[in-house]
Amino acid sequence: MTTIDQAPAVVAPKKEKSRAWRKMKRNKSALVGCGIVFFFAILAIAAPLLPIPDPIATSWTAIRKAPSAAHWLGTDDLGRDILSRMIWGAQASLMAGVFSVVIAVGIGVPFGLVSGYFGGWVDMVISRITEALLAMPFLIMAIALAAFLGPSLTNAMIAIGLSAMPIFVRLTRGQVLAVKTEDYVEGARSVGLNHFEIMTRYILPNVFAPIIVQATLTIATAIIAEASLSFLGLGQQPPSPSWGSMLNVAKNFLTQAPWMAMWPGIAIFLVVIGFNMLGDGLRDALDPREA
C-alpha cells in the first residue's frame, strides 16, 4: 500500500512534462518560432567559424554595391560586407535580448517573491515602487538609463534589464499570492520549514512556468529596445556591427542603397516574431487549463 500511494507523486511530474511537450509539438506556429530562434542562435554562435569576410573590414572599391555573387546581401557605405555584419550583428542583438531578460528576472523575481509571500508593509513598499516604474514607458526609461550610464552594449543591456524588471516583480507577486495559500505550503509551514526554504522549494517552482513564458516574450521586446538604442547611438558602438546601428547608417541611403536597411529590418522582424510565436506556444503548453 505504501508503494502504491507514493507512485503518483513520482510519476506525475513526468506525465506533466510529456503532456506539455505533446502540446508544444502540436502547435505549428510554436515550432516555426522555435526554428527561427534556433537558426539565428546558431548563426550567432557559429559566426567566428563561418567563412565570411571581416565585418569591420572596409573596401573603397566596393562602396554601396548591390547584392551579387561576391557580396550576397550587398555592401554598406564603407564597402563592408552586409552578410558578414548581419551574422555578427546577430550576436549583439540576441545577447542583448537574453542578458537583459536575465537581469530583469534575476532582480524582479526575488522582489516579487518577497512581496507576495510576506505581504504587509514589505508588499506595500515594493508594490508602490513597482507601480511608479511601470508608469514610465518602457522604451523611454531604457533610453534615459542608457544615456545616464553611457553608450555601450553592456550599458544598454543593463538599461533594458532594469526597465523590464517591474514586469517580473508584478507577475511574480501575483503568482505567489495565488500559490502561498495552497495546502502544500501550509504543510511546509507546519513541519517547521523556514521562510527561505518554503519560498525556494515550494513556491518558486510552482510559479516559474508563467515567468518562463513572460521571459520568452520579453526577449523579443528587449531585442527591439536594443535595436532602438543602437539606432540612437546608445547601444553597440561602431565599428562593431549591430542591426540597430546598421539601420542608423542605412537611413541616409534609402534611395541609393535600399538593401542596407532591408536586411537588418527583416532580421529584426523575423527574430521578434520567432520569440513571440515561441512564447505563445510555451504559454499554451504550460497552461494546465488547456487540454
Side-chain angles (χ1 to χ4, degrees):
M1 289 296 293
T2 303
T3 304
I4 296 174
D5 290 340
Q6 292 177 348
V10 178
V11 177
K14 295 182 179 179
K15 288 184 177 180
E16 184 69 20
K17 291 179 182 179
S18 63
R19 182 188 64 85
W21 175 238
R22 286 197 304 269
K23 289 167 62 178
M24 190 73 177
K25 290 192 294 184
R26 291 199 302 265
N27 192 328
K28 294 182 179 179
S29 64
L31 294 179
V32 171
C34 184
I36 293 172
V37 171
F38 183 76
F39 171 75
F40 279 97
I42 291 298
L43 275 183
I45 294 171
L49 306 176
L50 295 176
I52 54 177
D54 188 340
I56 62 175
T58 60
S59 175
W60 300 112
T61 60
I63 293 177
R64 298 198 302 273
K65 294 294 183 181
S68 63
H71 303 281
W72 290 3
L73 302 185
T75 60
D76 65 4
D77 61 319
L78 297 178
R80 297 172 295 193
D81 185 76
I82 291 180
L83 176 61
S84 177
R85 291 182 64 78
M86 287 287 299
I87 293 174
W88 281 93
Q91 284 191 345
S93 295
L94 293 179
M95 185 169 62
V98 172
F99 281 99
S100 297
V101 172
V102 169
I103 293 172
V105 171
I107 298 175
V109 170
F111 275 106
L113 194 61
V114 170
S115 176
Y117 181 80
F118 288 106
W121 68 269
V122 174
D123 181 33
M124 184 185 67
V125 171
I126 294 177
S127 296
R128 297 298 83 77
I129 295 174
T130 302
E131 290 168 2
L133 294 175
L134 287 171
M136 291 183 281
F138 166 76
L139 189 56
I140 300 300
M141 184 176 176
I143 292 173
L145 288 173
F148 173 77
L149 295 173
S152 72
L153 182 59
T154 301
N155 290 340
M157 290 189 290
I158 295 173
I160 296 169
L162 293 177
S163 301
M165 177 264 297
I167 299 173
F168 291 94
V169 176
R170 185 176 63 175
L171 173 64
T172 306
R173 175 186 177 273
Q175 294 296 318
V176 172
L177 289 175
V179 167
K180 72 175 186 178
T181 57
E182 295 290 340
D183 292 340
Y184 57 85
V185 177
E186 296 297 335
R189 290 195 186 99
S190 66
V191 298
L193 294 182
N194 59 46
H195 295 311
F196 181 78
E197 289 177 320
I198 294 173
M199 286 190 292
T200 56
R201 291 175 55 185
Y202 292 91
I203 294 180
L204 184 60
N206 288 284
V207 303
F208 213 67
I211 294 173
I212 293 175
V213 174
Q214 183 61 47
T216 306
L217 296 172
T218 306
I219 289 176
T221 305
I223 289 173
I224 296 178
E226 185 278 330
S228 302
L229 292 177
S230 295
F231 183 85
L232 296 172
L234 297 172
Q236 182 79 293
Q237 296 299 295
S240 299
S242 167
W243 294 342
S245 59
M246 290 173 69
L247 285 174
N248 184 28
V249 174
K251 76 179 187 299
N252 301 316
F253 305 99
L254 290 177
T255 55
Q256 302 97 326
W259 56 86
M260 288 176 58
M262 181 175 65
W263 300 119
I266 291 174
I268 293 171
F269 169 78
L270 289 176
V271 170
V272 169
I273 200 171
F275 273 108
N276 279 326
M277 290 192 295
L278 177 60
D280 288 339
L282 285 173
R283 181 181 56 197
D284 295 338
L286 298 174
D287 189 350
R289 296 170 296 182
E290 297 288 339

